[in-house]
Amino acid sequence: MTDADATTTTKTTVTTTTAAATGTDWQAWQESWDRQQEWYMPDREERFRVMLDMVEALVGPAPRVLDLACGTGTITARLLARFPRATSTGVDLDPALLAIAEGTFADDDRVSFVTADLKDPDWPAKLPYDTYDAVLTATALHWFHAEPLADLYGRVAGLVRDGGVFMNADHMIDDTTPRINAAERAQRHARMDSAKGEGALDWSEWWQLAAEDPVLAGPTARRFEIYGEHADGEMPSAAWHARVLREKGFGEARPVWCSPSDTLLLAVK
């Protein structure tokens, strides 16, 4: 959907929901996170649909999935809605987003969560399984610089079973097309400014609400102690991601979906 009213939410709506929930209505927090993310990426759900299409095509409808840098469990929620026999392990370091994820899936024995720093080379040892059918991630790994991201890809390759898949949906910038990039950015920001005028929450405003919530205030404070305001990573091209994934042990890798600003890259072990 591209209509601003359908993909964003007003400050008043989120504030009212949050006050009523007092941090315990986890579904309300999930929905407010989705609306905030859709302000940046109005075609976000299409990206997830294609991701799950490829999961089904390559590893079937009952996969064991690692939700990498899982955040609030966005991928896990869509995975289980589509594939009820799937299982998911979410891994992240963010205590606030993990609190929302753990609250959302507290009664679902198909889901487990692991707190781990993906920059720590030993993080895979914390996982409940040695291998996964699919490792999925979205809008997270651009926080990494290229060298540690390449190292992470090597560890991910060790977790994906033969025939399994890895998918990364994220901002992947082609520096060889500066005029296209500038035009796309200008058009996207004009749309975002219009939605902002109608009350859409941006990333920093969403976190301000979390910091004011009785339940999430503590985890949010710890989150900013860990990350600061925002990490300064890199956004290499899709070609770079595909090449590095092949170098790290995947047999095939290429984009399977893209928007003017984002790419979903699929690698098969």
Side-chain angles (χ1 to χ4, degrees):
M1 294 183 294
T2 58
D3 181 77
D5 290 336
T7 58
T8 59
T9 190
T10 65
K11 296 176 186 177
T12 301
T13 300
V14 173
T15 303
T16 301
T17 301
T18 304
T22 61
T24 58
D25 185 345
W26 300 117
Q27 190 57 46
W29 278 109
Q30 290 284 359
E31 291 172 2
S32 68
W33 177 261
D34 284 345
R35 301 295 83 75
Q36 176 257 125
Q37 289 286 287
E38 287 167 357
W39 180 65
Y40 297 95
M41 298 168 288
D43 42 17
R44 183 170 176 256
E45 291 302 324
E46 175 68 8
R47 188 174 62 163
F48 290 134
R49 183 191 65 78
V50 175
M51 177 183 281
L52 296 181
D53 281 351
M54 293 298 97
V55 168
E56 185 173 24
L58 286 158
V59 299
R64 176 193 293 169
V65 170
L66 177 62
D67 187 348
L68 191 71
C70 64
T72 66
T74 297
I75 290 174
T76 293
R78 286 147 183 80
L79 172 79
L80 298 179
R82 177 157 170 179
F83 306 124
R85 293 185 294 132
T87 59
S88 178
T89 303
V91 58
D92 208 306
L93 187 61
D94 188 314
L97 298 185
L98 276 174
I100 296 171
E102 290 168 348
T104 300
F105 298 99
D107 299 322
D108 196 328
D109 60 8
R110 298 170 296 176
V111 183
S112 60
F113 291 101
V114 173
T115 301
D117 185 350
L118 296 182
K119 293 181 180 178
D120 178 353
D122 296 326
W123 68 265
K126 297 184 176 183
L127 301 176
Y129 303 105
D130 293 331
T131 61
Y132 289 83
D133 300 310
V135 178
L136 309 176
T137 188
T139 324
L141 301 189
H142 63 274
W143 287 51
F144 281 76
H145 289 281
E147 185 175 346
L149 180 56
D151 291 341
L152 177 65
Y153 278 172
R155 287 186 279 277
V156 168
L159 290 167
V160 176
R161 68 161 173 83
D162 288 345
V165 301
F166 168 68
M167 276 182 269
N168 179 15
D170 211 340
H171 316 311
M172 300 182 188
I173 306 301
D174 187 341
D175 290 331
T176 68
T177 59
R179 289 183 295 169
I180 295 172
N181 297 349
E184 182 280 323
R185 179 179 174 82
Q187 193 276 340
R188 174 163 43 91
H189 278 263
R191 175 192 58 79
M192 291 166 66
D193 288 345
S194 176
K196 198 75 161 61
E198 298 176 5
L201 285 172
D202 63 21
W203 187 88
S204 62
E205 290 168 330
W206 189 91
W207 280 109
Q208 182 178 348
L209 288 179
E212 295 168 355
D213 183 82
V215 173
L216 289 178
T220 297
R222 293 194 297 275
R223 182 245 181 253
F224 281 95
E225 289 173 1
I226 294 168
Y227 292 109
E229 287 300 318
H230 206 285
D232 181 23
E234 295 181 61
M235 301 181 204
S237 68
W240 180 93
H241 288 269
R243 174 180 60 79
V244 171
L245 285 164
R246 288 191 292 266
E247 291 172 354
K248 295 298 182 179
F250 288 91
E252 300 176 12
R254 72 166 177 87
V256 291
W257 175 91
C258 68
S259 72
S261 62
D262 277 35
T263 296
L264 172 59
L265 197 132
L266 165 64
V268 181
K269 185 78 173 287

